[in-house]
Amino acid sequence: MESVCSLFQGQEFMDAKFTAARGREGSLFATEGLQIGYANGLHLSATQLEQNLHAVQEEESLPPTSVATKGRLRDFTVEMETGTGKTYVYIRTIYELNRRYGLTKFIIVVPSVAIREGVKKSFESMKSHFDVLYDKTPLEYFVYDSKDMSSVGTFATSSSIQVMIINIAAFIRGYQDDGAAEEGNLFHRASERLVGGHSPRELVSSCNPIVIIDEPQDVDNTQKAKGAINSLNPLFVLRYSATHKEKYNKVYQLGPVDAFQMGLVKGICVDSVRSEEDLNGSYVCLESVKASPFSAKVSIDVRQKDGSQKRKKVTVKTGDDLYAKSGENSDYESGWVVNNISAAPGSEWVEFQNGTTLELGQAVGDIAEEVVKRAQIRKTIEDHLQKQLELYPLGIKVLSLFFIDKVEKYRLYDPVRNGEYAQMFEEEYADAVSSDKWRSRYEKAGVPLDVDAAAVHSGYFSQDGKGRIKNTSKKAESSADISTFETIMREKEALLSFPSDKDGDEEHAKKRIQFIWSHSALREGWDNPNVFQICTLVETKDIMTKRQKIGRGLRLCVDQNGERCFDRDVNVLTVIANESYEAFAKGLQGELEKDGIHFGVLAPESFSRIALEYESGHEERLGYERSAQVYEVLRAKGLVDDKGNVMRELKEAAERGDVPLPDGVEAAQNAVCSVILHKAQKLQIKDKAKEVTVELSKDVSTDPAFQELWDRIRRRTRFEVDVDSERLIASACEKIGDMPEVRTPEVFSTMAGVSIDGAGVDAEAESRSLVRVTGARIYDLPDPIAELQDAVGLTRATIKAILERCGRFDEFARNPAVFLSQVATKISVAKAEAVAAGIKYTKLPDSEWYSMEDLKPHEVKAYLDQNAWEPKHGKSLYNYVVYDSSSVEKPFAVELDLSDEVKVFAKLPSNFKIDTPLGSYNPDWAYVREVEGEHRVYFVTETKGGGNNNIQKRPKEDGKIQCAKKHFEALDLGDDFVYDVKTTYV
């Protein structure tokens, strides 16, 4: 939101009006006067917009771009990983653009009914939230409906925020000639129902709307679609997606690695279900077809020279006999001759003389396939029951999702009965919940277990006119499909809730549903935050990518109060796959890379946002040019290849905190190393086969050495902060005095030579100069004290004193946004220092100290070689050490385990916290070292990267560490206790 809004810094508030038309006699808008329309307006030079764009891109470490549309900077891209809340972000951006710049007209263009209904639901459910944030600023939203034009008229003539949600299909046709070519498309046709008899397109385009495109890769992916967007006459176009095909001018990027590492989405675990090949019988699978020449590839069991069989792909054309193709395998003697082949897109199939027809991806004769499908269903049920057992005490209802491609596999008619998969499910569920394994565990935990297999699952499919469920179309835009999406959205809250005795019969039945069956065509646009298991059961070609599958369950879960849960141990999505973990992980990474997401890659702009601080206290960004210099040094030394891939040697150098840098950038060593280590990381997918349960080691927990350590560190404190206001003000003023000068945005003149030849007209820049003008740019200045209060959390009096005494306040009017941003950073650093210096801890009574119960992991799951390591020498408090960093924490654990002088050690659990004014702080390690076999020393240690002599710490982290030191000092634990920060044990 901040990146988008910062594009328009310097924009003046505007109240742009236009004459809509005089109302016609007898029409809906008949009046004596004129109808006034309200439009978006912009007073911002092209040069200032470009400068703002480059400043935002530098802040986000993105390459500077100036991609023009129709001769101007118009299109801006926001890249956000699936499940991280892009709909929330762009709705809030609408409110913020109105608050800052007075913009009121917005059109949200979506590719499908599913996304349209999801956006509409978001406006409904978030209304009270935004009413609080924006003091009930009036906002009206509506879904464009050609049968009801009144909302379009209001869109043009209302001065409040207006948001129209529309499918691209609603206006992609007929825009070239005002709809005359497509009489059915009313969006471009004049209407007596609208003010002045205008078309909907004419009215909304007169408003210069901000156009927000949701999933642009599916919206304006053709020239015709681009023309339709242009017909809206957008002031700007903001594009939101995880998978952009055209990048335009990217202003923000939140990729999958960042999203997973920041805990903004669920982690992914793969539960692999596979069987060995069954070479008995006539197995045939249609792998692919092509039209020129007509042929198909099928997998069959080919007879080898030694009489054995091997499954192979063979190419066939009309008239080919699989008996001959299989090396005269007798399984293919009965009519397996190719009769016909269809290569029509979406209707690929092959027909044999024995009457068998196979669609793309479909197989027959594989006895093991039914077994695999049943096993996938059973594993989904088992994983579901285990997850619900763990999450019920947290008030979180667990849902599992099955995707199928044929509805008859779920339900059959005449008479109405279960399809094959539904029958399998009910049999396997009934068997599971009747077993002692689950009954006893649920009873012991006091968790209700629904034993009615028919009641816990339901299908969400489109319905025909007779109420029968049917396959969803790929475009999913029929009236039946619309009804499906509305049902999913309407019942979303019920699906998240546990059943209650107070519910009516219908509501109670909905809340009992835990397993959802849906069609594979329902891809983007709907999901549920409490989907924890996803299982795909398809026979024909799977049209869903792995990324689309996991996207339905990536959102962080919510409890019964609708509160989001941020616990990473809770938020794990399990994909039940009929392929190996390695194949799934490789396939997902391949899809991400195909979408333009690169892993382990640096670029010239990667270091641009790093702040370089000099001994004088002066601070400035590296910026793009110096970032590119750092990159070139690394490339010249062979530490990155020509594509920017991070070499192993560079990663090792970054872990040591010793990366070669150009002259003048040495002070940025720690920050550069952090960026390299971050970029070197890949998306981590967990292997269910390597899942382990973390448990307390009784031998270590009862060891006298650990008991002595625990007695020291379990003590708790509370803090008081006595900040010396004068010292804080003086420190802030000193830091503000050292910051770079805030300049008025500059205007440049570029002289270019113009040439005209057979290739057309071309211009090439020949010189560029700064234009100096008299007078000053006048801004609608915000309240600097209020703005800084929100940013730094100090009193108005303190901020006022800082601004009055810093000697730099005259620069505020030159560029308010830049001034406030720099000042807030300096005040925050001074505040952290003042808090750490003025904090005082006092011991709490022992009744409030931590107990051994707080050390119990309570069903924490981890994954060997991914985030868990098994100690070898019986010293660890836990049977597995769970680590966040494989380059710092895991090696530290190994060193503790190997060291003869270390008696016991523990990776402290996340709920072991020290309170600080800067947020809770969780130290990493506690261990006991025996010196020369005589006396013991007790340690609590924080691990950071960068090397013990060059430890990498951000200012806020350093502030928390300073507070922790004061905490342990207040406990007065004696000379044999040490709190420190290290990179390696030695």
Side-chain angles (χ1 to χ4, degrees):
M1 182 192 75
E2 195 59 43
S3 292
V4 170
C5 292
S6 295
L7 287 170
F8 311 114
Q9 286 182 6
Q11 151 84 339
E12 300 168 23
F13 274 84
M14 294 189 64
D15 187 16
K17 299 178 182 178
F18 63 92
T19 302
R22 184 185 299 276
R24 295 182 181 178
E25 198 66 37
S27 73
L28 181 65
F29 286 93
T31 61
E32 294 183 2
L34 296 177
Q35 286 289 314
I36 301 300
Y38 292 83
N40 289 328
L42 179 69
H43 283 175
L44 190 69
S45 70
T47 301
Q48 181 61 58
L49 180 60
E50 184 177 36
Q51 289 177 343
N52 287 348
L53 169 62
H54 292 167
V56 168
Q57 289 173 327
E58 182 177 294
E59 172 68 24
E60 295 300 320
S61 293
L62 296 168
T65 60
S66 300
V67 180
T69 307
K70 301 192 74 175
R72 66 186 181 93
L73 281 178
R74 192 198 75 173
D75 290 70
F76 304 99
T77 292
V78 174
E79 184 176 301
M80 292 177 67
E81 179 58 14
T82 301
T84 56
K86 64 179 171 60
T87 309
Y88 172 88
V89 166
Y90 67 63
I91 292 176
R92 184 164 175 179
T93 299
I94 288 172
Y95 279 97
E96 195 67 22
L97 287 171
N98 173 260
R99 185 181 74 85
R100 297 189 192 188
Y101 310 120
L103 300 167
T104 58
K105 302 302 169 72
F106 300 85
I107 297 178
I108 300 173
V109 185
V110 299
S112 66
V113 174
I115 293 179
R116 189 191 75 191
E117 292 303 313
V119 173
K120 179 184 173 187
K121 182 67 176 180
S122 294
F123 272 100
E124 293 172 4
S125 60
M126 296 175 187
K127 182 182 184 304
S128 59
H129 169 77
F130 287 121
D131 280 348
V132 172
L133 279 183
Y134 292 96
D135 197 24
K136 294 189 176 181
T137 297
L139 179 149
E140 297 176 1
Y141 64 90
F142 65 97
V143 171
Y144 170 74
D145 183 353
S146 60
K147 298 175 184 176
D148 181 5
M149 296 291 191
S150 59
S151 295
V152 177
T154 304
F155 182 91
T157 58
S158 172
S159 60
S160 65
I161 304 175
Q162 293 288 313
V163 182
M164 180 169 76
I165 309 166
I166 186 170
N167 288 50
I168 184 65
F171 67 104
I172 196 172
R173 299 184 306 276
Y175 66 88
Q176 303 97 327
D177 42 15
D178 296 329
E182 294 284 347
E183 293 185 7
N185 192 338
L186 299 178
F187 188 79
H188 306 288
R189 297 181 65 79
S191 173
E192 288 295 325
R193 291 180 289 168
L194 287 176
V195 55
H198 291 299
S199 70
R201 203 251 342 261
E202 288 174 325
L203 279 182
V204 299
S205 65
S206 298
C207 297
N208 293 121
I210 300 283
V211 173
I212 293 170
I213 304 183
D214 195 327
E215 308 292 356
Q217 73 279 3
D218 295 327
V219 171
D220 64 338
N221 51 5
T222 65
Q223 285 303 119
K224 193 170 184 179
K226 292 181 193 297
I229 296 295
N230 289 335
S231 76
L232 299 176
N233 191 25
L235 187 64
F236 291 103
V237 179
L238 306 177
R239 301 161 173 275
Y240 294 79
S241 177
T243 53
H244 293 275
K245 299 302 182 188
E246 297 180 80
K247 302 299 184 184
Y248 290 93
N249 302 290
K250 190 183 293 186
V251 297
Y252 183 80
Q253 183 174 40
L254 177 66
V257 174
D258 288 321
F260 284 103
Q261 288 177 348
M262 295 165 67
L264 300 177
V265 292
K266 292 191 183 93
I268 303 172
C269 178
V270 177
D271 198 347
S272 180
V273 179
R274 292 182 298 161
S275 73
E276 296 179 349
E277 291 178 351
D278 189 335
L279 299 174
N280 300 296
S282 50
Y283 173 82
V284 186
C285 178
L286 178 58
E287 303 288 353
S288 63
V289 295
K290 67 176 184 177
S292 183
F294 272 95
S295 61
K297 273 193 177 179
V298 294
S299 289
I300 60 175
D301 296 333
V302 179
R303 186 173 181 272
Q304 306 299 296
K305 290 181 179 179
D306 61 1
S308 64
Q309 295 181 29
K310 189 174 184 180
R311 191 156 291 174
K312 291 183 176 181
K313 294 179 183 178
V314 297
T315 301
V316 297
K317 57 184 183 298
T318 304
D320 281 350
D321 190 342
L322 294 189
Y323 177 67
K325 289 281 185 179
S326 66
E328 299 185 349
N329 183 344
S330 60
D331 291 335
Y332 299 99
E333 287 182 310
S334 55
W336 286 103
V337 177
V338 178
N339 203 34
N340 199 0
I341 296 173
S342 169
S347 181
E348 301 97 336
W349 46 262
V350 61
E351 180 187 60
F352 296 93
Q353 286 183 4
N354 61 12
T356 302
T357 300
L358 293 178
E359 296 179 21
L360 193 62
Q362 189 174 6
V364 295
D366 189 0
I367 300 173
E369 183 163 344
E370 179 184 341
V371 178
V372 171
K373 294 287 191 289
R374 184 178 286 272
Q376 282 185 269
I377 292 170
R378 181 62 181 239
K379 280 298 295 179
T380 304
I381 293 168
E382 297 275 348
D383 290 343
H384 177 103
L385 292 173
Q386 176 61 39
K387 197 73 175 180
Q388 187 60 85
L389 190 66
E390 297 169 6
L391 300 190
Y392 184 85
L394 302 178
I396 296 170
K397 182 182 173 184
V398 173
L399 299 174
S400 292
L401 175 61
F402 292 98
F403 276 119
I404 61 176
D405 60 351
K406 290 183 177 179
V407 168
E408 58 263 30
K409 291 287 185 178
Y410 181 72
R411 184 162 301 155
L412 297 169
Y413 291 89
D414 299 326
V416 177
R417 62 196 186 280
N418 280 335
E420 178 184 347
Y421 292 155
Q423 190 60 35
M424 283 184 189
F425 172 83
E426 291 191 8
E427 290 170 359
E428 295 300 323
Y429 184 85
D431 183 67
V433 297
S434 63
S435 68
D436 288 339
K437 172 186 175 182
W438 293 111
R439 278 185 179 275
S440 59
R441 293 179 68 189
Y442 269 67
E443 287 174 7
K444 183 178 178 181
V447 178
L449 179 62
D450 197 326
V451 297
D452 187 344
V456 297
H457 71 106
S458 184
Y460 287 82
F461 306 97
S462 304
Q463 294 184 351
D464 61 20
K466 297 180 180 179
R468 300 183 178 191
I469 56 179
K470 68 181 189 67
N471 294 332
T472 301
S473 64
K474 287 185 178 179
K475 291 186 177 180
E477 290 179 348
S478 69
S479 58
D481 297 326
I482 294 172
S483 175
T484 305
F485 299 125
E486 290 174 344
T487 302
I488 291 170
M489 295 303 168
R490 192 165 54 243
E491 296 186 357
K492 192 169 185 177
E493 284 77 13
L495 287 171
L496 291 168
S497 304
F498 291 123
S500 165
D501 294 337
K502 298 178 182 178
D503 298 328
D505 290 345
E506 185 178 350
E507 188 73 8
H508 193 268
K510 289 177 183 177
K511 291 182 178 180
R512 290 179 71 180
I513 297 169
Q514 302 172 48
F515 297 86
I516 302 168
W517 296 76
S518 196
H519 197 280
S520 55
L522 297 182
R523 293 179 287 178
E524 296 92 352
W526 76 274
D527 46 36
N528 192 297
N530 285 20
V531 168
F532 285 93
Q533 286 74 225
I534 291 180
C535 178
T536 305
L537 304 167
V538 294
E539 287 186 351
T540 55
K541 182 181 179 182
D542 190 356
I543 63 172
M544 294 186 76
T545 66
K546 291 176 171 60
R547 199 174 188 194
Q548 287 167 337
K549 290 173 189 172
I550 65 172
R552 306 288 63 79
L554 281 181
R555 295 187 185 278
L556 300 181
C557 63
V558 298
D559 63 17
Q560 295 302 287
N561 298 317
E563 296 294 327
R564 197 72 65 178
C565 171
F566 296 96
D567 188 331
R568 296 193 186 206
D569 293 328
V570 167
N571 283 296
V572 177
L573 171 68
T574 299
V575 179
I576 293 83
N578 59 355
E579 61 184 324
S580 70
Y581 155 78
E582 291 83 5
F584 184 93
K586 183 179 180 181
L588 177 58
Q589 184 159 320
E591 288 176 11
L592 292 167
E593 290 171 343
K594 187 178 178 181
D595 288 333
I597 296 164
H598 303 295
F599 298 92
V601 173
L602 291 171
E605 66 274 5
S606 295
F607 310 102
S608 58
R609 70 183 299 179
I610 289 175
L612 196 61
E613 187 169 348
Y614 299 98
E615 290 183 4
S616 64
H618 177 68
E619 187 179 286
E620 63 181 353
R621 285 251 171 85
L622 282 189
Y624 179 77
E625 289 186 7
R626 284 191 290 186
S627 174
Q629 290 173 9
V630 174
Y631 177 82
E632 283 305 314
V633 167
L634 300 179
R635 194 180 65 81
K637 292 186 177 294
L639 297 173
V640 297
D641 64 16
D642 291 339
K643 294 182 179 179
N645 291 303
V646 175
M647 300 290 100
R648 180 176 53 84
E649 294 81 4
L650 178 56
K651 185 178 179 183
E652 291 172 352
E655 289 172 348
R656 295 194 306 269
D658 185 24
V659 170
L661 297 173
D663 293 340
V665 188
E666 294 86 356
Q669 176 73 243
N670 288 348
V672 168
C673 291
S674 294
V675 170
I676 292 169
L677 292 173
H678 176 73
K679 293 287 187 181
Q681 294 176 336
K682 295 191 175 184
L683 182 63
Q684 188 179 80
I685 302 172
K686 297 161 184 173
D687 185 355
K688 188 78 172 180
K690 293 186 176 181
E691 185 179 86
V692 294
T693 301
V694 181
E695 297 174 345
L696 206 62
S697 170
K698 291 184 179 178
D699 289 342
V700 176
S701 64
T702 57
D703 187 297
F706 178 78
Q707 287 295 322
E708 290 168 12
L709 171 66
W710 181 238
D711 185 56
R712 286 165 169 77
I713 66 174
R714 74 187 190 92
R715 306 172 192 187
R716 299 184 66 187
T717 59
R718 66 165 173 262
F719 66 81
E720 297 174 356
V721 181
D722 182 14
V723 174
D724 185 334
S725 295
E726 281 302 313
R727 186 174 174 181
L728 168 59
I729 292 168
S731 174
C733 288
E734 181 181 356
K735 294 181 190 312
I736 293 170
D738 290 329
M739 73 185 191
E741 180 184 357
V742 177
R743 296 188 177 91
T744 303
E746 297 170 334
V747 178
F748 290 89
S749 168
T750 302
M751 183 172 290
V754 178
S755 62
I756 304 177
D757 55 27
V761 180
D762 190 24
E764 183 174 350
E766 296 176 350
S767 64
R768 190 168 187 258
S769 60
L770 177 65
V771 180
R772 301 191 181 278
V773 296
T774 58
R777 190 181 185 103
I778 299 174
Y779 293 96
D780 186 356
L781 297 176
D783 176 358
I785 298 178
E787 295 286 332
L788 289 171
Q789 256 195 305
D790 290 341
V792 302
L794 295 176
T795 65
R796 286 186 64 88
T798 299
I799 295 173
K800 181 173 181 289
I802 292 171
L803 294 177
E804 289 174 341
R805 289 156 54 178
C806 70
R808 303 286 296 272
F809 187 64
D810 60 322
E811 298 172 30
F812 169 60
R814 298 180 191 172
N815 195 326
V818 171
F819 177 85
L820 293 175
S821 174
Q822 292 188 12
V823 167
T825 299
K826 298 301 182 184
I827 294 177
S828 294
V829 173
K831 175 187 170 184
E833 292 174 354
V835 165
I839 195 167
K840 181 182 179 182
Y841 282 92
T842 55
K843 232 185 319 187
L844 289 170
D846 56 7
S847 60
E848 297 186 44
W849 293 1
Y850 286 113
S851 68
M852 286 298 295
E853 186 66 25
D854 295 305
L855 291 177
K856 293 180 179 178
H858 299 295
E859 299 262 9
V860 170
K861 298 288 191 291
Y863 301 84
L864 280 177
D865 303 322
Q866 292 183 301
N867 70 335
W869 172 73
E870 186 175 11
K872 312 299 181 189
H873 296 95
K875 301 177 184 179
S876 173
L877 180 65
Y878 300 104
N879 59 338
Y880 296 98
V881 174
V882 181
Y883 54 83
D884 296 322
S885 164
S886 60
S887 60
V888 177
E889 290 187 352
K890 182 182 176 182
F892 198 87
V894 174
E895 290 179 76
L896 290 174
D897 196 47
L898 289 175
S899 174
D900 289 336
E901 61 183 15
V902 172
K903 298 293 131 184
V904 291
F905 71 91
K907 178 71 166 63
L908 290 168
S910 58
N911 61 335
F912 182 89
K913 292 186 169 89
I914 297 169
D915 292 331
T916 85
L918 305 173
S920 296
Y921 166 65
N922 171 221
D924 288 321
W925 306 93
Y927 57 96
V928 179
R929 193 170 74 188
E930 196 166 79
V931 181
E932 296 177 353
E934 294 182 0
H935 65 279
R936 292 171 176 165
V937 182
Y938 304 92
F939 289 84
V940 170
T941 299
E942 179 74 18
T943 42
K944 295 290 178 188
N948 283 335
N949 296 321
N950 193 25
I951 293 171
Q952 299 172 8
K953 291 181 291 184
R954 293 189 293 271
K956 189 171 182 180
E957 289 177 329
D958 191 52
K960 288 184 177 182
I961 287 168
Q962 297 306 316
C963 291
K965 287 181 178 178
K966 296 286 187 72
H967 159 82
F968 287 116
E969 287 173 7
L971 295 180
D972 191 21
L973 299 178
D975 295 337
D976 60 354
F977 177 84
V978 178
Y979 169 74
D980 61 1
V981 182
K982 302 182 75 173
T983 296
T984 59
Y985 172 68
V986 179

